[in-house]
Amino acid sequence: VLIFPFTIHATDDQAFLKQAVMDMLYTRLSAKDRNIVLELDPATEKQALKIGLDNNADYILMGSLTLLGESVSTDARLIRTADQESLVIFNRSGRDHGAVIEHVDALAAQINQEVFGSEKSGAASTIPEQQKEKSATDDSLRALETSAPDLNLCVLYREIF
């Protein structure tokens, strides 16, 4: 699964949410024998599909968060790269920004169940509590890889010209 940064639509700076959503999706989708790749640069769907195919990813995950006042809307799609079919189309809304966590939990659960046939991720519990609080810098990504040795973590660094 190649996870692209979610687009954040908000009137104020909510940049921290991009990394938070990626961190949450990484831990919630991780499982033994499943590769999760974090793409650090945003892309259009067409670009994302090409990047996914070029990197032999079976799926790409893209989405957005819309923050309007206290309300939040989360929209996402998991797309199979081979035939460009949307396997999971997700949308939820909530009355406060804290609903983002519930939305990410529900999205990951839906992907795990509908696509991978599992109820929930097995690797999330192997991530130490202090790791959950850190942002995903290079050091924390290496810590994730060390704390969950059954996972193959790859982060793509790319410049878009």
Side-chain angles (χ1 to χ4, degrees), residues 80-96:
R80 185 171 41 218
T81 55
D83 58 7
Q84 300 179 11
E85 180 180 350
S86 293
L87 300 180
V88 173
I89 299 173
F90 180 89
N91 59 68
R92 292 275 167 91
S93 59
R95 295 182 185 267
D96 62 63

PDB file of all heavy atoms in Angstrom, residues 80-96:
ATOM      1  N   ARG A  80      -6.717   0.027  -6.516  1.00  0.00           N
ATOM      2  CA  ARG A  80      -5.831  -1.053  -6.967  1.00  0.00           C
ATOM      3  C   ARG A  80      -5.116  -0.544  -8.217  1.00  0.00           C
ATOM      4  O   ARG A  80      -5.755  -0.102  -9.169  1.00  0.00           O
ATOM      5  CB  ARG A  80      -6.637  -2.314  -7.270  1.00  0.00           C
ATOM      6  CG  ARG A  80      -5.770  -3.499  -7.622  1.00  0.00           C
ATOM      7  CD  ARG A  80      -6.517  -4.807  -7.726  1.00  0.00           C
ATOM      8  NE  ARG A  80      -7.799  -4.650  -8.388  1.00  0.00           N
ATOM      9  CZ  ARG A  80      -8.904  -5.310  -8.020  1.00  0.00           C
ATOM     10  NH1 ARG A  80      -8.883  -6.139  -7.016  1.00  0.00           N
ATOM     11  NH2 ARG A  80     -10.031  -5.129  -8.678  1.00  0.00           N
ATOM     12  N   THR A  81      -3.796  -0.590  -8.220  1.00  0.00           N
ATOM     13  CA  THR A  81      -3.036  -0.002  -9.321  1.00  0.00           C
ATOM     14  C   THR A  81      -3.184  -0.797 -10.616  1.00  0.00           C
ATOM     15  O   THR A  81      -3.176  -0.209 -11.699  1.00  0.00           O
ATOM     16  CB  THR A  81      -1.539   0.127  -8.966  1.00  0.00           C
ATOM     17  OG1 THR A  81      -1.027  -1.143  -8.582  1.00  0.00           O
ATOM     18  CG2 THR A  81      -1.326   1.135  -7.861  1.00  0.00           C
ATOM     19  N   ALA A  82      -3.324  -2.108 -10.528  1.00  0.00           N
ATOM     20  CA  ALA A  82      -3.360  -2.949 -11.729  1.00  0.00           C
ATOM     21  C   ALA A  82      -4.476  -2.560 -12.684  1.00  0.00           C
ATOM     22  O   ALA A  82      -4.270  -2.486 -13.897  1.00  0.00           O
ATOM     23  CB  ALA A  82      -3.484  -4.421 -11.341  1.00  0.00           C
ATOM     24  N   ASP A  83      -5.669  -2.300 -12.147  1.00  0.00           N
ATOM     25  CA  ASP A  83      -6.809  -1.983 -13.012  1.00  0.00           C
ATOM     26  C   ASP A  83      -7.455  -0.633 -12.672  1.00  0.00           C
ATOM     27  O   ASP A  83      -8.488  -0.284 -13.229  1.00  0.00           O
ATOM     28  CB  ASP A  83      -7.859  -3.083 -12.950  1.00  0.00           C
ATOM     29  CG  ASP A  83      -8.388  -3.331 -11.547  1.00  0.00           C
ATOM     30  OD1 ASP A  83      -8.042  -2.573 -10.619  1.00  0.00           O
ATOM     31  OD2 ASP A  83      -9.145  -4.297 -11.380  1.00  0.00           O
ATOM     32  N   GLN A  84      -6.827   0.104 -11.765  1.00  0.00           N
ATOM     33  CA  GLN A  84      -7.281   1.433 -11.347  1.00  0.00           C
ATOM     34  C   GLN A  84      -8.688   1.422 -10.747  1.00  0.00           C
ATOM     35  O   GLN A  84      -9.399   2.419 -10.761  1.00  0.00           O
ATOM     36  CB  GLN A  84      -7.191   2.427 -12.511  1.00  0.00           C
ATOM     37  CG  GLN A  84      -5.787   2.565 -13.024  1.00  0.00           C
ATOM     38  CD  GLN A  84      -5.656   3.508 -14.192  1.00  0.00           C
ATOM     39  OE1 GLN A  84      -6.565   4.237 -14.529  1.00  0.00           O
ATOM     40  NE2 GLN A  84      -4.504   3.502 -14.817  1.00  0.00           N
ATOM     41  N   GLU A  85      -9.081   0.291 -10.171  1.00  0.00           N
ATOM     42  CA  GLU A  85     -10.398   0.177  -9.545  1.00  0.00           C
ATOM     43  C   GLU A  85     -10.339   0.688  -8.106  1.00  0.00           C
ATOM     44  O   GLU A  85      -9.433   0.344  -7.344  1.00  0.00           O
ATOM     45  CB  GLU A  85     -10.871  -1.273  -9.544  1.00  0.00           C
ATOM     46  CG  GLU A  85     -12.237  -1.440  -8.909  1.00  0.00           C
ATOM     47  CD  GLU A  85     -12.720  -2.887  -8.895  1.00  0.00           C
ATOM     48  OE1 GLU A  85     -12.095  -3.744  -9.534  1.00  0.00           O
ATOM     49  OE2 GLU A  85     -13.725  -3.129  -8.217  1.00  0.00           O
ATOM     50  N   SER A  86     -11.320   1.504  -7.741  1.00  0.00           N
ATOM     51  CA  SER A  86     -11.436   1.965  -6.359  1.00  0.00           C
ATOM     52  C   SER A  86     -12.069   0.847  -5.544  1.00  0.00           C
ATOM     53  O   SER A  86     -13.241   0.526  -5.720  1.00  0.00           O
ATOM     54  CB  SER A  86     -12.307   3.221  -6.283  1.00  0.00           C
ATOM     55  OG  SER A  86     -11.672   4.291  -6.920  1.00  0.00           O
ATOM     56  N   LEU A  87     -11.282   0.247  -4.659  1.00  0.00           N
ATOM     57  CA  LEU A  87     -11.777  -0.858  -3.839  1.00  0.00           C
ATOM     58  C   LEU A  87     -12.484  -0.356  -2.590  1.00  0.00           C
ATOM     59  O   LEU A  87     -13.392  -1.006  -2.091  1.00  0.00           O
ATOM     60  CB  LEU A  87     -10.634  -1.791  -3.452  1.00  0.00           C
ATOM     61  CG  LEU A  87      -9.903  -2.444  -4.621  1.00  0.00           C
ATOM     62  CD1 LEU A  87      -8.783  -3.338  -4.099  1.00  0.00           C
ATOM     63  CD2 LEU A  87     -10.867  -3.244  -5.486  1.00  0.00           C
ATOM     64  N   VAL A  88     -12.035   0.770  -2.074  1.00  0.00           N
ATOM     65  CA  VAL A  88     -12.658   1.376  -0.898  1.00  0.00           C
ATOM     66  C   VAL A  88     -12.864   2.857  -1.201  1.00  0.00           C
ATOM     67  O   VAL A  88     -11.929   3.555  -1.586  1.00  0.00           O
ATOM     68  CB  VAL A  88     -11.786   1.217   0.367  1.00  0.00           C
ATOM     69  CG1 VAL A  88     -12.381   1.995   1.538  1.00  0.00           C
ATOM     70  CG2 VAL A  88     -11.616  -0.255   0.728  1.00  0.00           C
ATOM     71  N   ILE A  89     -14.092   3.293  -1.064  1.00  0.00           N
ATOM     72  CA  ILE A  89     -14.425   4.713  -1.155  1.00  0.00           C
ATOM     73  C   ILE A  89     -14.997   5.092   0.203  1.00  0.00           C
ATOM     74  O   ILE A  89     -15.986   4.508   0.643  1.00  0.00           O
ATOM     75  CB  ILE A  89     -15.438   4.995  -2.282  1.00  0.00           C
ATOM     76  CG1 ILE A  89     -14.835   4.581  -3.634  1.00  0.00           C
ATOM     77  CG2 ILE A  89     -15.840   6.473  -2.269  1.00  0.00           C
ATOM     78  CD1 ILE A  89     -15.814   4.655  -4.781  1.00  0.00           C
ATOM     79  N   PHE A  90     -14.346   6.018   0.868  1.00  0.00           N
ATOM     80  CA  PHE A  90     -14.663   6.335   2.261  1.00  0.00           C
ATOM     81  C   PHE A  90     -15.022   7.806   2.397  1.00  0.00           C
ATOM     82  O   PHE A  90     -14.349   8.669   1.834  1.00  0.00           O
ATOM     83  CB  PHE A  90     -13.436   6.022   3.129  1.00  0.00           C
ATOM     84  CG  PHE A  90     -13.628   6.296   4.585  1.00  0.00           C
ATOM     85  CD1 PHE A  90     -14.133   5.327   5.430  1.00  0.00           C
ATOM     86  CD2 PHE A  90     -13.286   7.533   5.121  1.00  0.00           C
ATOM     87  CE1 PHE A  90     -14.302   5.584   6.788  1.00  0.00           C
ATOM     88  CE2 PHE A  90     -13.454   7.795   6.470  1.00  0.00           C
ATOM     89  CZ  PHE A  90     -13.964   6.822   7.299  1.00  0.00           C
ATOM     90  N   ASN A  91     -16.078   8.093   3.140  1.00  0.00           N
ATOM     91  CA  ASN A  91     -16.377   9.477   3.513  1.00  0.00           C
ATOM     92  C   ASN A  91     -17.117   9.485   4.842  1.00  0.00           C
ATOM     93  O   ASN A  91     -18.010   8.689   5.070  1.00  0.00           O
ATOM     94  CB  ASN A  91     -17.169  10.204   2.429  1.00  0.00           C
ATOM     95  CG  ASN A  91     -18.477   9.536   2.121  1.00  0.00           C
ATOM     96  OD1 ASN A  91     -19.380   9.530   2.949  1.00  0.00           O
ATOM     97  ND2 ASN A  91     -18.596   8.956   0.940  1.00  0.00           N
ATOM     98  N   ARG A  92     -16.644  10.353   5.711  1.00  0.00           N
ATOM     99  CA  ARG A  92     -17.252  10.538   7.028  1.00  0.00           C
ATOM    100  C   ARG A  92     -17.189  12.006   7.391  1.00  0.00           C
ATOM    101  O   ARG A  92     -16.288  12.719   6.981  1.00  0.00           O
ATOM    102  CB  ARG A  92     -16.486   9.777   8.109  1.00  0.00           C
ATOM    103  CG  ARG A  92     -16.560   8.291   8.044  1.00  0.00           C
ATOM    104  CD  ARG A  92     -17.807   7.752   8.741  1.00  0.00           C
ATOM    105  NE  ARG A  92     -18.028   6.368   8.423  1.00  0.00           N
ATOM    106  CZ  ARG A  92     -17.559   5.346   9.104  1.00  0.00           C
ATOM    107  NH1 ARG A  92     -16.833   5.556  10.165  1.00  0.00           N
ATOM    108  NH2 ARG A  92     -17.815   4.120   8.716  1.00  0.00           N
ATOM    109  N   SER A  93     -18.139  12.435   8.190  1.00  0.00           N
ATOM    110  CA  SER A  93     -18.096  13.795   8.709  1.00  0.00           C
ATOM    111  C   SER A  93     -18.271  13.740  10.222  1.00  0.00           C
ATOM    112  O   SER A  93     -18.828  12.788  10.763  1.00  0.00           O
ATOM    113  CB  SER A  93     -19.172  14.670   8.068  1.00  0.00           C
ATOM    114  OG  SER A  93     -20.446  14.143   8.317  1.00  0.00           O
ATOM    115  N   GLY A  94     -17.758  14.767  10.874  1.00  0.00           N
ATOM    116  CA  GLY A  94     -17.853  14.841  12.325  1.00  0.00           C
ATOM    117  C   GLY A  94     -18.059  16.269  12.773  1.00  0.00           C
ATOM    118  O   GLY A  94     -17.820  17.217  12.024  1.00  0.00           O
ATOM    119  N   ARG A  95     -18.479  16.417  14.005  1.00  0.00           N
ATOM    120  CA  ARG A  95     -18.803  17.744  14.540  1.00  0.00           C
ATOM    121  C   ARG A  95     -17.612  18.471  15.154  1.00  0.00           C
ATOM    122  O   ARG A  95     -17.717  19.636  15.491  1.00  0.00           O
ATOM    123  CB  ARG A  95     -19.918  17.624  15.573  1.00  0.00           C
ATOM    124  CG  ARG A  95     -21.214  17.145  14.971  1.00  0.00           C
ATOM    125  CD  ARG A  95     -22.300  17.089  16.035  1.00  0.00           C
ATOM    126  NE  ARG A  95     -23.521  16.533  15.512  1.00  0.00           N
ATOM    127  CZ  ARG A  95     -24.515  17.254  15.014  1.00  0.00           C
ATOM    128  NH1 ARG A  95     -24.424  18.552  14.976  1.00  0.00           N
ATOM    129  NH2 ARG A  95     -25.594  16.654  14.554  1.00  0.00           N
ATOM    130  N   ASP A  96     -16.480  17.770  15.344  1.00  0.00           N
ATOM    131  CA  ASP A  96     -15.296  18.445  15.854  1.00  0.00           C
ATOM    132  C   ASP A  96     -14.049  17.818  15.245  1.00  0.00           C
ATOM    133  O   ASP A  96     -14.095  16.727  14.699  1.00  0.00           O
ATOM    134  CB  ASP A  96     -15.238  18.412  17.390  1.00  0.00           C
ATOM    135  CG  ASP A  96     -15.166  17.005  17.945  1.00  0.00           C
ATOM    136  OD1 ASP A  96     -14.169  16.308  17.659  1.00  0.00           O
ATOM    137  OD2 ASP A  96     -16.093  16.605  18.667  1.00  0.00           O
TER     138      ASP A  96
END
